[in-house]
Amino acid sequence: MGDVIDQFRGEFHWLSNFYSCPVHFEGLTFLNTEAAFQAAKTLNMEEREKFVGLSPLIAKRKGRRVELRSDWEAVKIEVMREVLRCKFSQNPELREKLIATGDAELIEGNNWNDRFWGVCRGVGQNHL
């Protein structure tokens, strides 16, 4: 088995959705992938625009209060995939770092009980 990167902190913070980098997604430019992802939870463009300029933590909190699009559960993994494609295709230095991870397994290890996007205490689906 190859290498494992088991947390997106420290030297691998750039893998985190909380990492600051511009992300142009569906006509808007966000300061981080977290804000882009949270904005995509609503189809209301005025609401989405409110995520531009937000820190990842504020965006995550705000994302809990938007009018959730009816298809969110069906599309959220693909939305995340597309937001991440934007992050790594639009930021060449991050793309190079990602390529340099080779075949390492990337695990979003966390201690905040996110077992859908990551892994907490050895348990999780690690969709991120």
Side-chain angles (χ1 to χ4, degrees), residues 8 13-21 31-35 37 56 80 83-84 87-88 108 117 128:
F8 299 169
H13 177 63
W14 56 271
L15 286 167
S16 169
N17 283 344
F18 276 44
Y19 184 78
S20 292
C21 64
L31 298 179
N32 51 75
T33 51
E34 186 68 27
F37 177 76
M80 180 66 80
V83 166
L84 291 174
K87 173 182 180 176
F88 291 107
E108 201 267 334
W117 295 111
L128 186 60

Side-chain angles (χ1 to χ4, degrees), residues 49-115:
E49 289 173 0
K50 293 177 182 176
F51 286 84
V52 172
L54 293 185
S55 73
L57 185 59
I58 300 298
K60 187 172 185 172
R61 289 179 183 154
K62 186 171 185 55
R64 294 184 182 125
R65 299 187 306 271
V66 298
E67 181 183 339
L68 204 59
R69 57 193 280 180
S70 61
D71 64 349
W72 183 243
E73 288 304 313
V75 302
K76 67 183 179 184
I77 292 175
E78 185 54 36
V79 168
M80 180 66 80
R81 188 174 289 129
E82 188 56 34
V83 166
L84 291 174
R85 270 191 202 105
C86 291
K87 173 182 180 176
F88 291 107
S89 66
Q90 297 167 12
N91 295 280
E93 70 286 356
L94 298 180
R95 179 177 53 245
E96 292 305 314
K97 285 181 162 192
L98 183 62
I99 291 168
T101 65
D103 64 354
E105 183 179 7
L106 306 178
I107 299 172
E108 201 267 334
N110 66 78
N111 59 4
W112 51 88
N113 293 315
D114 183 344
R115 292 187 168 115

